[in-house]
Amino acid sequence: MKQDQPRPTPRAGIMDIEAYVPGKSTAPAGVTKVYKLSSNENPLGPSPKAIEAAREVAGKLDVYPDGTARRLREAIAEVHGLNPANIICSNGSDEILGLLAQTYLAPGDEAVFTEHAFMVYKIYVQAAGAKPVAVKETDERADVDAMLAAVTPATRIVFLANPNNPTGTYLPFSEVRRLHAGLPKNVLLVLDAAYAEYVRRNDYEAGIELAGSAENVVMTRTFSKLGLGGARVGWMYGPAHIVDAINRVRGPFNVNATAIEAGIASIRDRAHVERSVQHNEKWLGWLSEQMIGLGLRVTPSVGNFLLIHFPDDKKHSAAAADDFLSQRGYILRRVTGYGFPNALRMSIGTEEANRGVVDALKTFLKS
Ligand SMILES: *Cc1c(COP(=O)(O)O)cnc(C)c1O
């Protein structure tokens, strides 16, 4: 084919997007046992009840799902004490973040988030033709004053991951309220509470009350970090006028039948959630102490992962550690794209995986 032939071209800005790179899931050739600690999945796996529900639906895969995911919304509403009419379910919470950008941003608009924020915000803002505005953090944590200072008349959305990935840091809810209070009423505040279940802090709130009372706040949640990453189930809670707008834009059957049934069984299995959170609390604390004991700095995390910073000498850099660990089957997450060229993010794993990483790092740092 001739090179100069006309061909379809993406909208302005699309080719400037750097595609999302998911956590690695494979180890170098020859490594037999692989511990995937790169995607913040649940080391306890899915709820056994979700597995059962997914098996059951397999025989009915010819039938379209309920396009409003009513029973899933009702199950979520029951567990969290919400009105199901104010919930939208989605193909992972990524989808809902994209729909919010697509619905509320136009070319020329701006969207604000923080410098080490979850990467998909930038992608969806650019995909909507709008301008991403990344704001400096303080001590690897969102800085409300800096965020408010970045708001201009062109700002339409402020994204806040609370807690944030990959840092694991969080804002106490008094700070979130202060952020909201400082925003113009026409700016949408998106509270991404993907790790809410894991946070055990008295001053933390996911945002249910604020999203239930303000006209410009939504809260997004996911099932992915509690054992259903592969099923793709997320949801949003917010005011009726936003739910109405998103329902016009989303795909008519955006949540598939397996996701709906696995999601219902999963959220009703509170014992599995509790086990997962307890496992996390124990090993997050243990791993943080061990890393500090090895002389490594960690960012204080309330999520199901830990950001580990490596020394400046090249022999013991994050890249070298990543190679060393991968050879032994421990797959962590490089976070250069998040502005941390010399850190690795480690998901809290099984006891075996956690102890294995610490032992391997001991050897690595002595080498
Ligand atoms: C994992 C994650 C999500 C979304 O995950 P889904 O699998 O799409 O539900 C959203 N926000 C943050 C901060 C995350 O870490």
Side-chain angles (χ1 to χ4, degrees), residues 11 13 22 34 59 101 105 108 134 146 158 207 231 249 256 271 287 300 305 324 346 359:
R11 249 190 6 247
V34 176
L105 296 174
V158 172
V249 177
N256 70 69
L287 276 168
F305 56 89
F324 189 92
M346 175 184 176
D359 287 345

Side-chain angles (χ1 to χ4, degrees), residues 92-94 97 118 121 161 163 165 192 194-195 222 224-225 232-234:
S93 60
D94 281 346
L97 295 167
F118 186 47
Y121 308 149
N165 165 18
D192 176 351
Y195 299 93
T222 181
S224 297
K225 313 297 159 48
R232 313 303 301 130
V233 196

